[in-house]
Short mmCIF file of all heavy atoms in Angstrom, two decimals:
data_model
loop_
_atom_site.label_atom_id
_atom_site.label_comp_id
_atom_site.label_asym_id
_atom_site.label_seq_id
_atom_site.Cartn_x
_atom_site.Cartn_y
_atom_site.Cartn_z
N MET Z 1 126.23 -21.93 78.33
CA MET Z 1 126.62 -21.08 79.49
C MET Z 1 125.68 -21.39 80.69
O MET Z 1 124.48 -21.50 80.44
CB MET Z 1 126.52 -19.66 79.12
CG MET Z 1 127.01 -18.82 80.31
SD MET Z 1 127.09 -17.05 79.69
CE MET Z 1 125.47 -16.70 79.20
N LYS Z 2 126.33 -21.60 81.79
CA LYS Z 2 125.42 -21.79 83.01
C LYS Z 2 124.88 -20.48 83.54
O LYS Z 2 125.67 -19.61 83.66
CB LYS Z 2 126.36 -22.53 84.03
CG LYS Z 2 125.72 -23.14 85.14
CD LYS Z 2 126.64 -24.04 85.86
CE LYS Z 2 126.07 -24.81 86.99
NZ LYS Z 2 125.76 -24.05 88.24
N MET Z 3 123.69 -20.56 84.05
CA MET Z 3 123.16 -19.31 84.57
C MET Z 3 123.57 -19.06 85.98
O MET Z 3 123.59 -20.13 86.71
CB MET Z 3 121.60 -19.43 84.56
CG MET Z 3 120.89 -18.07 84.63
SD MET Z 3 119.41 -18.16 85.45
CE MET Z 3 118.39 -18.82 84.14
N ALA Z 4 123.85 -17.87 86.33
CA ALA Z 4 124.38 -17.58 87.65
C ALA Z 4 123.39 -16.49 88.27
O ALA Z 4 122.74 -15.85 87.59
CB ALA Z 4 125.70 -17.09 87.68
N GLU Z 5 123.45 -16.57 89.59
CA GLU Z 5 122.77 -15.52 90.26
C GLU Z 5 123.81 -14.49 90.70
O GLU Z 5 124.69 -14.84 91.46
CB GLU Z 5 121.94 -16.12 91.54
CG GLU Z 5 120.93 -17.02 91.06
CD GLU Z 5 119.98 -17.36 92.16
OE1 GLU Z 5 120.37 -17.22 93.36
OE2 GLU Z 5 118.84 -17.82 91.94
N ILE Z 6 123.62 -13.20 90.19
CA ILE Z 6 124.63 -12.17 90.39
C ILE Z 6 124.07 -11.03 91.19
O ILE Z 6 123.06 -10.51 90.81
CB ILE Z 6 125.09 -11.79 88.91
CG1 ILE Z 6 125.73 -12.95 88.32
CG2 ILE Z 6 126.11 -10.67 89.16
CD1 ILE Z 6 126.07 -12.62 86.83
N MET Z 7 124.74 -10.68 92.20
CA MET Z 7 124.35 -9.47 93.00
C MET Z 7 124.96 -8.29 92.35
O MET Z 7 126.18 -8.22 92.17
CB MET Z 7 124.76 -9.64 94.46
CG MET Z 7 124.29 -8.54 95.38
SD MET Z 7 122.51 -8.44 95.59
CE MET Z 7 122.13 -9.84 96.74
N MET Z 8 124.19 -7.27 92.03
CA MET Z 8 124.81 -6.03 91.47
C MET Z 8 125.49 -5.39 92.55
O MET Z 8 125.41 -5.58 93.66
CB MET Z 8 123.54 -5.20 90.98
CG MET Z 8 122.71 -5.85 89.96
SD MET Z 8 123.13 -5.47 88.21
CE MET Z 8 121.66 -4.92 87.62
N LEU Z 9 126.15 -4.22 92.11
CA LEU Z 9 126.90 -3.36 92.94
C LEU Z 9 126.06 -1.99 93.10
O LEU Z 9 125.57 -1.49 92.07
CB LEU Z 9 128.27 -3.07 92.43
CG LEU Z 9 129.13 -4.23 92.24
CD1 LEU Z 9 130.48 -3.91 91.47
CD2 LEU Z 9 129.48 -4.94 93.56
N PRO Z 10 126.11 -1.45 94.37
CA PRO Z 10 125.22 -0.31 94.44
C PRO Z 10 125.87 1.00 93.98
O PRO Z 10 127.13 1.07 94.01
CB PRO Z 10 125.10 -0.17 96.04
CG PRO Z 10 126.22 -0.91 96.58
CD PRO Z 10 126.59 -1.99 95.51
N VAL Z 11 125.19 1.80 93.40
CA VAL Z 11 125.67 3.16 92.95
C VAL Z 11 124.75 4.20 93.63
O VAL Z 11 123.56 4.19 93.64
CB VAL Z 11 125.36 3.24 91.42
CG1 VAL Z 11 125.85 4.67 90.84
CG2 VAL Z 11 126.32 2.17 90.67
N ALA Z 12 125.51 5.20 94.19
CA ALA Z 12 124.87 6.32 94.83
C ALA Z 12 124.45 7.36 93.69
O ALA Z 12 125.15 7.41 92.72
CB ALA Z 12 125.69 6.98 95.93
N PRO Z 13 123.36 8.12 93.97
CA PRO Z 13 122.94 9.09 93.02
C PRO Z 13 124.16 10.05 92.64
O PRO Z 13 124.24 10.51 91.43
CB PRO Z 13 121.81 9.92 93.72
CG PRO Z 13 121.24 8.89 94.61
CD PRO Z 13 122.48 8.04 95.09
N TYR Z 14 124.94 10.35 93.49
CA TYR Z 14 126.03 11.39 93.14
C TYR Z 14 127.17 10.85 92.35
O TYR Z 14 128.03 11.40 91.83
CB TYR Z 14 126.63 12.02 94.43
CG TYR Z 14 127.49 11.05 95.30
CD1 TYR Z 14 128.78 10.77 95.11
CD2 TYR Z 14 126.82 10.52 96.39
CE1 TYR Z 14 129.41 9.88 95.84
CE2 TYR Z 14 127.43 9.59 97.24
CZ TYR Z 14 128.73 9.29 97.06
OH TYR Z 14 129.43 8.30 97.79
N GLU Z 15 127.04 9.40 92.09
CA GLU Z 15 128.02 8.59 91.31
C GLU Z 15 127.59 8.43 89.90
O GLU Z 15 128.26 7.79 89.20
CB GLU Z 15 128.32 7.34 91.95
CG GLU Z 15 128.98 7.32 93.28
CD GLU Z 15 129.19 6.03 93.99
OE1 GLU Z 15 128.17 5.26 94.06
OE2 GLU Z 15 130.34 5.68 94.37
N VAL Z 16 126.34 8.91 89.62
CA VAL Z 16 125.79 8.73 88.16
C VAL Z 16 126.67 9.20 87.04
O VAL Z 16 127.08 8.53 86.11
CB VAL Z 16 124.40 9.30 88.12
CG1 VAL Z 16 123.85 9.24 86.63
CG2 VAL Z 16 123.43 8.49 89.02
N ASN Z 17 127.22 10.39 87.29
CA ASN Z 17 128.20 11.02 86.39
C ASN Z 17 127.82 11.11 85.01
O ASN Z 17 128.74 10.63 84.06
CB ASN Z 17 129.49 10.11 86.55
CG ASN Z 17 130.62 10.84 86.98
OD1 ASN Z 17 130.68 12.11 86.79
ND2 ASN Z 17 131.63 10.26 87.61
N GLY Z 18 126.60 11.19 84.62
CA GLY Z 18 126.20 11.32 83.28
C GLY Z 18 125.90 10.08 82.53
O GLY Z 18 125.60 10.04 81.42
N ARG Z 19 126.02 8.90 83.25
CA ARG Z 19 125.77 7.66 82.62
C ARG Z 19 124.28 7.55 82.45
O ARG Z 19 123.45 8.02 83.16
CB ARG Z 19 126.30 6.56 83.56
CG ARG Z 19 127.89 6.48 83.55
CD ARG Z 19 128.35 5.31 84.43
NE ARG Z 19 128.30 5.78 85.79
CZ ARG Z 19 128.83 5.03 86.81
NH1 ARG Z 19 129.38 3.81 86.51
NH2 ARG Z 19 128.83 5.53 88.02
N ASN Z 20 123.91 6.75 81.48
CA ASN Z 20 122.57 6.43 81.20
C ASN Z 20 121.98 5.49 82.25
O ASN Z 20 122.62 4.69 82.67
CB ASN Z 20 122.43 5.70 79.82
CG ASN Z 20 122.67 6.69 78.68
OD1 ASN Z 20 122.24 7.87 78.69
ND2 ASN Z 20 123.23 6.18 77.66
N ILE Z 21 120.74 5.71 82.60
CA ILE Z 21 120.00 4.93 83.51
C ILE Z 21 118.85 4.17 82.79
O ILE Z 21 118.05 4.75 82.15
CB ILE Z 21 119.48 5.82 84.64
CG1 ILE Z 21 120.63 6.46 85.40
CG2 ILE Z 21 118.54 4.97 85.58
CD1 ILE Z 21 120.14 7.46 86.40
N PHE Z 22 118.97 2.86 83.03
CA PHE Z 22 117.80 1.94 82.52
C PHE Z 22 117.01 1.53 83.63
O PHE Z 22 117.43 0.96 84.57
CB PHE Z 22 118.48 0.72 81.77
CG PHE Z 22 117.47 -0.18 81.34
CD1 PHE Z 22 116.66 0.15 80.12
CD2 PHE Z 22 117.31 -1.50 81.86
CE1 PHE Z 22 115.80 -0.83 79.68
CE2 PHE Z 22 116.34 -2.35 81.38
CZ PHE Z 22 115.55 -2.01 80.27
N ASP Z 23 115.62 1.92 83.54
CA ASP Z 23 114.72 1.35 84.50
C ASP Z 23 114.26 0.05 84.19
O ASP Z 23 113.56 -0.20 83.16
CB ASP Z 23 113.65 2.39 84.58
CG ASP Z 23 112.73 2.39 85.84
OD1 ASP Z 23 112.71 1.14 86.40
OD2 ASP Z 23 112.09 3.25 86.19
N THR Z 24 114.46 -0.98 85.08
CA THR Z 24 114.17 -2.41 84.79
C THR Z 24 112.71 -2.56 85.14
O THR Z 24 112.22 -3.71 84.75
CB THR Z 24 115.06 -3.24 85.67
OG1 THR Z 24 114.87 -3.06 87.03
CG2 THR Z 24 116.56 -3.26 85.22
N GLY Z 25 112.00 -1.68 85.71
CA GLY Z 25 110.63 -1.75 86.00
C GLY Z 25 110.32 -3.06 86.95
O GLY Z 25 111.10 -3.21 87.78
N ILE Z 26 109.34 -3.76 86.65
CA ILE Z 26 109.00 -4.96 87.54
C ILE Z 26 110.06 -5.90 87.33
O ILE Z 26 110.62 -6.52 88.32
CB ILE Z 26 107.64 -5.46 87.09
CG1 ILE Z 26 106.53 -4.44 87.22
CG2 ILE Z 26 107.25 -6.78 87.95
CD1 ILE Z 26 106.23 -3.89 88.71
N SER Z 27 110.35 -6.28 86.14
CA SER Z 27 111.51 -7.20 85.87
C SER Z 27 111.79 -7.12 84.30
O SER Z 27 110.88 -7.13 83.46
CB SER Z 27 111.12 -8.64 86.26
OG SER Z 27 112.16 -9.48 86.03
N THR Z 28 113.09 -7.33 84.08
CA THR Z 28 113.44 -7.18 82.64
C THR Z 28 113.92 -8.71 82.25
O THR Z 28 114.71 -9.19 82.94
CB THR Z 28 114.59 -6.27 82.42
OG1 THR Z 28 114.08 -4.92 82.60
CG2 THR Z 28 115.13 -6.25 80.99
N VAL Z 29 113.27 -9.25 81.26
CA VAL Z 29 113.61 -10.69 80.93
C VAL Z 29 114.37 -10.70 79.54
O VAL Z 29 113.85 -10.12 78.56
CB VAL Z 29 112.28 -11.47 80.94
CG1 VAL Z 29 112.61 -12.96 80.50
CG2 VAL Z 29 111.54 -11.43 82.21
N GLY Z 30 115.43 -11.35 79.51
CA GLY Z 30 116.24 -11.55 78.46
C GLY Z 30 116.01 -12.91 77.73
O GLY Z 30 115.23 -13.71 78.10
N ARG Z 31 116.93 -13.27 76.86
CA ARG Z 31 116.85 -14.50 76.15
C ARG Z 31 118.07 -15.44 76.39
O ARG Z 31 118.46 -16.10 75.51
CB ARG Z 31 116.74 -14.29 74.61
CG ARG Z 31 115.30 -13.71 74.39
CD ARG Z 31 115.03 -13.60 72.89
NE ARG Z 31 115.77 -12.47 72.31
CZ ARG Z 31 115.73 -12.15 71.05
NH1 ARG Z 31 115.21 -12.91 70.23
NH2 ARG Z 31 116.40 -10.96 70.64
N GLY Z 32 118.59 -15.35 77.58
CA GLY Z 32 119.74 -16.18 77.89
C GLY Z 32 120.81 -15.56 78.67
O GLY Z 32 121.30 -14.34 78.25
N GLY Z 33 121.18 -15.97 79.78
CA GLY Z 33 122.22 -15.30 80.50
C GLY Z 33 122.08 -15.62 81.99
O GLY Z 33 121.85 -16.73 82.49
N HIS Z 34 122.03 -14.49 82.71
CA HIS Z 34 122.07 -14.70 84.26
C HIS Z 34 120.87 -13.95 84.95
O HIS Z 34 120.19 -13.13 84.25
CB HIS Z 34 123.41 -14.10 84.78
CG HIS Z 34 124.55 -14.66 84.12
ND1 HIS Z 34 124.93 -16.04 84.15
CD2 HIS Z 34 125.49 -14.02 83.41
CE1 HIS Z 34 126.08 -16.15 83.42
NE2 HIS Z 34 126.42 -14.98 82.96
N ASP Z 35 120.72 -14.16 86.15
CA ASP Z 35 119.75 -13.44 86.99
C ASP Z 35 120.55 -12.39 87.78
O ASP Z 35 121.59 -12.71 88.31
CB ASP Z 35 119.01 -14.28 87.91
CG ASP Z 35 117.96 -15.11 87.23
OD1 ASP Z 35 117.69 -14.84 86.08
OD2 ASP Z 35 117.57 -16.18 87.82
N TYR Z 36 120.04 -11.12 87.85
CA TYR Z 36 120.73 -10.12 88.55
C TYR Z 36 119.91 -9.57 89.64
O TYR Z 36 118.67 -9.44 89.47
CB TYR Z 36 121.13 -8.87 87.64
CG TYR Z 36 122.06 -9.37 86.55
CD1 TYR Z 36 121.82 -10.08 85.38
CD2 TYR Z 36 123.52 -8.99 86.78
CE1 TYR Z 36 122.72 -10.44 84.43
CE2 TYR Z 36 124.44 -9.42 85.90
CZ TYR Z 36 124.06 -10.14 84.71
OH TYR Z 36 124.98 -10.46 83.80
N PHE Z 37 120.43 -9.25 90.75
CA PHE Z 37 119.67 -8.83 91.93
C PHE Z 37 119.97 -7.43 92.43
O PHE Z 37 121.32 -7.07 92.36
CB PHE Z 37 119.90 -9.80 93.21
CG PHE Z 37 119.30 -11.22 92.73
CD1 PHE Z 37 119.99 -12.13 92.07
CD2 PHE Z 37 117.95 -11.59 93.21
CE1 PHE Z 37 119.59 -13.34 91.84
CE2 PHE Z 37 117.55 -12.70 92.90
CZ PHE Z 37 118.14 -13.67 92.18
N CYS Z 38 119.13 -6.63 92.91
CA CYS Z 38 119.40 -5.35 93.33
C CYS Z 38 120.24 -5.42 94.53
O CYS Z 38 120.03 -6.02 95.50
CB CYS Z 38 118.13 -4.55 93.63
SG CYS Z 38 118.28 -3.00 94.28
N ALA Z 39 121.28 -4.52 94.60
CA ALA Z 39 122.24 -4.39 95.69
C ALA Z 39 121.52 -3.67 96.94
O ALA Z 39 122.11 -3.69 97.98
CB ALA Z 39 123.52 -3.75 95.35
N HIS Z 40 120.53 -3.00 96.66
CA HIS Z 40 119.82 -2.17 97.70
C HIS Z 40 118.70 -2.97 98.40
O HIS Z 40 118.78 -3.01 99.68
CB HIS Z 40 119.18 -0.91 97.09
CG HIS Z 40 120.14 0.00 96.42
ND1 HIS Z 40 121.02 0.93 97.03
CD2 HIS Z 40 120.70 -0.04 95.14
CE1 HIS Z 40 121.87 1.46 96.22
NE2 HIS Z 40 121.66 0.89 95.04
N CYS Z 41 117.81 -3.67 97.73
CA CYS Z 41 116.64 -4.35 98.29
C CYS Z 41 116.61 -5.80 98.00
O CYS Z 41 115.94 -6.54 98.64
CB CYS Z 41 115.37 -3.65 97.79
SG CYS Z 41 115.04 -4.22 96.03
N GLY Z 42 117.54 -6.31 97.25
CA GLY Z 42 117.73 -7.82 97.05
C GLY Z 42 116.81 -8.43 96.10
O GLY Z 42 116.72 -9.66 95.76
N ARG Z 43 115.94 -7.54 95.50
CA ARG Z 43 114.96 -8.05 94.61
C ARG Z 43 115.59 -8.39 93.14
O ARG Z 43 116.61 -7.91 92.89
CB ARG Z 43 114.00 -6.82 94.22
CG ARG Z 43 112.64 -7.22 93.88
CD ARG Z 43 111.75 -5.92 93.63
NE ARG Z 43 110.92 -6.19 92.50
CZ ARG Z 43 111.26 -6.05 91.31
NH1 ARG Z 43 112.30 -5.43 90.98
NH2 ARG Z 43 110.40 -6.34 90.33
N GLN Z 44 115.09 -9.40 92.62
CA GLN Z 44 115.59 -9.75 91.21
C GLN Z 44 115.04 -8.72 90.24
O GLN Z 44 113.93 -8.47 90.00
CB GLN Z 44 115.06 -11.28 90.70
CG GLN Z 44 115.71 -11.62 89.46
CD GLN Z 44 115.07 -13.01 88.89
OE1 GLN Z 44 114.17 -12.92 88.03
NE2 GLN Z 44 115.37 -14.13 89.62
N MET Z 45 116.14 -8.11 89.57
CA MET Z 45 115.72 -7.06 88.63
C MET Z 45 115.78 -7.56 87.21
O MET Z 45 115.01 -7.02 86.38
CB MET Z 45 116.89 -5.90 88.72
CG MET Z 45 117.06 -5.38 90.04
SD MET Z 45 118.47 -4.24 90.17
CE MET Z 45 117.93 -2.93 89.01
N VAL Z 46 116.63 -8.39 86.88
CA VAL Z 46 116.85 -8.82 85.56
C VAL Z 46 116.95 -10.41 85.53
O VAL Z 46 117.64 -10.94 86.32
CB VAL Z 46 118.20 -8.28 84.93
CG1 VAL Z 46 118.48 -8.79 83.59
CG2 VAL Z 46 118.11 -6.70 84.91
N HIS Z 47 116.23 -10.98 84.60
CA HIS Z 47 116.16 -12.44 84.53
C HIS Z 47 116.71 -12.88 83.28
O HIS Z 47 116.15 -12.33 82.07
CB HIS Z 47 114.69 -12.82 84.73
CG HIS Z 47 114.65 -14.33 84.63
ND1 HIS Z 47 115.08 -15.32 85.42
CD2 HIS Z 47 113.82 -15.06 83.79
CE1 HIS Z 47 114.82 -16.46 85.08
NE2 HIS Z 47 113.99 -16.39 83.95
N ASN Z 48 117.64 -13.80 83.18
CA ASN Z 48 117.97 -14.40 82.00
C ASN Z 48 118.67 -13.58 80.84
O ASN Z 48 118.30 -13.70 79.76
CB ASN Z 48 116.81 -15.24 81.30
CG ASN Z 48 117.21 -16.46 80.60
OD1 ASN Z 48 118.31 -17.00 80.88
ND2 ASN Z 48 116.32 -16.91 79.75
N MET Z 49 119.52 -12.74 81.38
CA MET Z 49 120.22 -11.71 80.43
C MET Z 49 121.71 -11.67 80.76
O MET Z 49 121.98 -12.04 81.90
CB MET Z 49 119.75 -10.35 80.65
CG MET Z 49 118.57 -9.96 79.78
SD MET Z 49 118.15 -8.29 80.03
CE MET Z 49 119.10 -7.44 78.77
N ASP Z 50 122.55 -11.48 79.78
CA ASP Z 50 124.03 -11.39 80.11
C ASP Z 50 124.31 -9.77 79.91
O ASP Z 50 124.56 -9.40 78.72
CB ASP Z 50 124.74 -12.26 79.04
CG ASP Z 50 126.26 -12.27 79.62
OD1 ASP Z 50 126.61 -11.56 80.45
OD2 ASP Z 50 126.96 -13.01 78.86
N LEU Z 51 124.39 -9.19 81.04
CA LEU Z 51 124.62 -7.75 80.99
C LEU Z 51 126.07 -7.40 80.65
O LEU Z 51 126.47 -6.33 80.26
CB LEU Z 51 124.27 -7.13 82.30
CG LEU Z 51 122.78 -7.20 82.78
CD1 LEU Z 51 122.63 -6.60 84.12
CD2 LEU Z 51 121.87 -6.70 81.67
N SER Z 52 126.98 -8.43 80.89
CA SER Z 52 128.37 -8.17 80.65
C SER Z 52 128.55 -8.02 79.08
O SER Z 52 129.66 -7.51 78.65
CB SER Z 52 129.32 -9.30 81.08
OG SER Z 52 128.95 -10.55 80.35
N LYS Z 53 127.63 -8.47 78.25
CA LYS Z 53 127.75 -8.33 76.77
C LYS Z 53 127.36 -6.95 76.33
O LYS Z 53 127.52 -6.60 75.18
CB LYS Z 53 126.89 -9.21 76.09
CG LYS Z 53 127.26 -10.71 76.32
CD LYS Z 53 127.39 -11.56 74.97
CE LYS Z 53 128.03 -12.86 75.13
NZ LYS Z 53 127.06 -13.90 75.83
N ILE Z 54 126.73 -6.11 77.16
CA ILE Z 54 126.41 -4.83 76.91
C ILE Z 54 127.47 -3.82 77.15
O ILE Z 54 128.06 -3.68 78.23
CB ILE Z 54 125.05 -4.30 77.69
CG1 ILE Z 54 123.94 -5.14 77.49
CG2 ILE Z 54 124.83 -2.80 77.50
CD1 ILE Z 54 122.81 -5.09 78.31
N GLU Z 55 127.97 -3.19 75.99
CA GLU Z 55 129.31 -2.57 76.03
C GLU Z 55 129.19 -1.07 76.66
O GLU Z 55 129.99 -0.58 77.44
CB GLU Z 55 129.90 -2.38 74.65
CG GLU Z 55 130.48 -3.69 74.25
CD GLU Z 55 131.11 -3.70 72.88
OE1 GLU Z 55 131.51 -2.48 72.50
OE2 GLU Z 55 131.23 -4.66 72.25
N ALA Z 56 127.99 -0.49 76.43
CA ALA Z 56 127.74 0.88 77.04
C ALA Z 56 127.71 0.75 78.45
O ALA Z 56 127.17 -0.16 79.06
CB ALA Z 56 126.45 1.47 76.47
N GLU Z 57 128.12 1.74 79.26
CA GLU Z 57 128.12 1.68 80.72
C GLU Z 57 126.70 2.30 81.08
O GLU Z 57 126.48 3.47 80.98
CB GLU Z 57 129.24 2.48 81.30
CG GLU Z 57 129.50 1.98 82.66
CD GLU Z 57 130.76 2.79 83.33
OE1 GLU Z 57 131.41 3.47 82.55
OE2 GLU Z 57 130.75 2.69 84.53
N ILE Z 58 125.94 1.33 81.52
CA ILE Z 58 124.55 1.69 81.89
C ILE Z 58 124.27 1.34 83.33
O ILE Z 58 124.84 0.42 83.88
CB ILE Z 58 123.55 0.88 81.04
CG1 ILE Z 58 123.72 1.19 79.56
CG2 ILE Z 58 122.15 1.07 81.50
CD1 ILE Z 58 122.91 0.29 78.65
N LEU Z 59 123.64 2.28 84.00
CA LEU Z 59 123.09 2.02 85.36
C LEU Z 59 121.71 1.37 85.31
O LEU Z 59 120.97 1.72 84.55
CB LEU Z 59 123.15 3.38 86.23
CG LEU Z 59 124.48 4.06 86.24
CD1 LEU Z 59 124.33 5.30 87.07
CD2 LEU Z 59 125.54 3.21 86.76
N TYR Z 60 121.42 0.51 86.20
CA TYR Z 60 120.10 -0.14 86.25
C TYR Z 60 119.43 0.23 87.53
O TYR Z 60 119.82 0.11 88.61
CB TYR Z 60 120.37 -1.70 86.26
CG TYR Z 60 120.99 -2.16 84.98
CD1 TYR Z 60 122.40 -2.23 84.77
CD2 TYR Z 60 120.23 -2.51 83.87
CE1 TYR Z 60 122.93 -2.48 83.63
CE2 TYR Z 60 120.82 -2.90 82.67
CZ TYR Z 60 122.20 -2.85 82.52
OH TYR Z 60 122.77 -3.18 81.32
N LYS Z 61 118.29 0.79 87.17
CA LYS Z 61 117.35 1.28 88.40
C LYS Z 61 116.37 0.31 88.74
O LYS Z 61 115.50 -0.16 87.77
CB LYS Z 61 116.79 2.64 87.85
CG LYS Z 61 116.01 3.38 89.02
CD LYS Z 61 115.43 4.71 88.56
CE LYS Z 61 114.70 5.34 89.74
NZ LYS Z 61 114.13 6.58 89.33
N CYS Z 62 116.36 -0.11 89.96
CA CYS Z 62 115.39 -1.05 90.47
C CYS Z 62 114.09 -0.22 90.76
O CYS Z 62 114.03 0.93 90.92
CB CYS Z 62 115.99 -1.65 91.74
SG CYS Z 62 114.98 -2.76 92.65
N SER Z 63 112.98 -1.07 90.95
CA SER Z 63 111.72 -0.47 91.34
C SER Z 63 111.88 0.15 92.88
O SER Z 63 110.99 0.96 93.15
CB SER Z 63 110.58 -1.50 91.35
OG SER Z 63 110.94 -2.60 92.18
N CYS Z 64 112.84 -0.15 93.53
CA CYS Z 64 112.97 0.45 94.94
C CYS Z 64 113.61 1.87 94.80
O CYS Z 64 113.83 2.57 95.76
CB CYS Z 64 113.82 -0.47 95.80
SG CYS Z 64 115.54 -0.51 95.50
N GLY Z 65 114.12 2.13 93.53
CA GLY Z 65 114.76 3.53 93.28
C GLY Z 65 116.24 3.33 93.41
O GLY Z 65 116.90 4.35 93.05
N GLY Z 66 116.71 2.23 93.82
CA GLY Z 66 118.18 2.10 93.90
C GLY Z 66 118.87 1.91 92.52
O GLY Z 66 118.36 1.29 91.63
N LEU Z 67 119.96 2.39 92.35
CA LEU Z 67 120.82 2.33 91.14
C LEU Z 67 121.93 1.28 91.30
O LEU Z 67 122.47 1.17 92.42
CB LEU Z 67 121.40 3.66 90.91
CG LEU Z 67 120.54 4.87 90.56
CD1 LEU Z 67 121.45 6.14 90.38
CD2 LEU Z 67 119.77 4.57 89.24
N ASN Z 68 122.18 0.54 90.30
CA ASN Z 68 123.02 -0.58 90.34
C ASN Z 68 123.91 -0.67 89.07
O ASN Z 68 123.47 -0.22 88.09
CB ASN Z 68 122.25 -1.97 90.51
CG ASN Z 68 121.40 -1.99 91.63
OD1 ASN Z 68 121.80 -2.62 92.78
ND2 ASN Z 68 120.24 -1.56 91.56
N VAL Z 69 125.18 -1.33 89.25
CA VAL Z 69 125.86 -1.71 88.04
C VAL Z 69 126.19 -3.18 88.24
O VAL Z 69 126.34 -3.62 89.37
CB VAL Z 69 127.21 -0.95 87.83
CG1 VAL Z 69 127.04 0.40 87.27
CG2 VAL Z 69 128.07 -0.86 89.18
N PRO Z 70 126.29 -3.90 87.01
CA PRO Z 70 126.74 -5.30 87.23
C PRO Z 70 128.16 -5.33 87.68
O PRO Z 70 128.97 -4.44 87.38
CB PRO Z 70 126.64 -5.73 85.78
CG PRO Z 70 125.88 -4.77 84.95
CD PRO Z 70 126.03 -3.49 85.64
N PRO Z 71 128.55 -6.33 88.42
CA PRO Z 71 129.94 -6.48 88.90
C PRO Z 71 130.84 -6.70 87.58
O PRO Z 71 130.36 -7.25 86.63
CB PRO Z 71 129.89 -7.60 89.77
CG PRO Z 71 128.70 -8.47 89.40
CD PRO Z 71 127.68 -7.47 88.90
N PRO Z 72 132.12 -6.30 87.66
CA PRO Z 72 133.15 -6.51 86.65
C PRO Z 72 133.23 -7.97 86.28
O PRO Z 72 133.16 -8.85 87.23
CB PRO Z 72 134.40 -6.00 87.16
CG PRO Z 72 134.17 -5.36 88.50
CD PRO Z 72 132.72 -5.77 88.93
N VAL Z 73 133.31 -8.33 84.98
CA VAL Z 73 133.62 -9.71 84.66
C VAL Z 73 135.03 -10.23 85.00
O VAL Z 73 135.86 -9.50 84.77
CB VAL Z 73 133.18 -9.87 83.14
CG1 VAL Z 73 133.31 -11.28 82.68
CG2 VAL Z 73 131.86 -9.23 82.76
N GLU Z 74 135.01 -11.41 85.62
CA GLU Z 74 136.31 -11.94 86.05
C GLU Z 74 136.98 -12.65 84.82
O GLU Z 74 136.32 -13.29 84.01
CB GLU Z 74 136.20 -12.90 87.05
CG GLU Z 74 135.98 -12.08 88.48
CD GLU Z 74 135.31 -13.04 89.46
OE1 GLU Z 74 135.50 -14.23 89.45
OE2 GLU Z 74 134.57 -12.49 90.33
ZN1 ZN J 101 115.93 -2.56 94.69
#
């Protein structure tokens, strides 16, 4: 699989709706996949992971405080 650079989609605090929030901290590094960038500040949040394989609906919190979701898989 070719690694892609993927811009996340922004989520506002009122849109959380009880979904789990994962704090990526400085950076979360996986073992194969893509790079994901915060929709709020543009920072790389997740490196080398495939978030589309995670079935649970999780929001990803950047160190800037912004909440993000991965874009839908095409
Ligand atoms: Zn951010």
Side-chain angles (χ1 to χ4, degrees):
M1 180 175 58
K2 197 166 180 286
M3 197 208 288
E5 296 194 336
I6 297 170
M7 187 62 80
M8 299 267 236
L9 301 173
V11 175
Y14 67 84
E15 294 175 309
V16 172
N17 241 338
R19 286 178 282 185
N20 288 321
I21 295 172
F22 177 72
D23 193 337
T24 58
I26 301 300
S27 185
T28 297
V29 180
R31 286 185 285 177
H34 310 295
D35 288 347
Y36 293 85
F37 295 83
C38 176
H40 301 268
C41 71
R43 208 177 146 273
Q44 186 188 103
M45 302 172 67
V46 175
H47 176 63
N48 210 22
M49 270 181 91
D50 189 355
L51 300 183
S52 69
K53 295 231 170 76
I54 298 173
E55 287 180 22
E57 204 177 347
I58 298 173
L59 304 179
Y60 296 87
K61 186 178 183 183
C62 178
S63 57
C64 75
L67 297 171
N68 298 270
V69 280
V73 181
E74 285 161 28

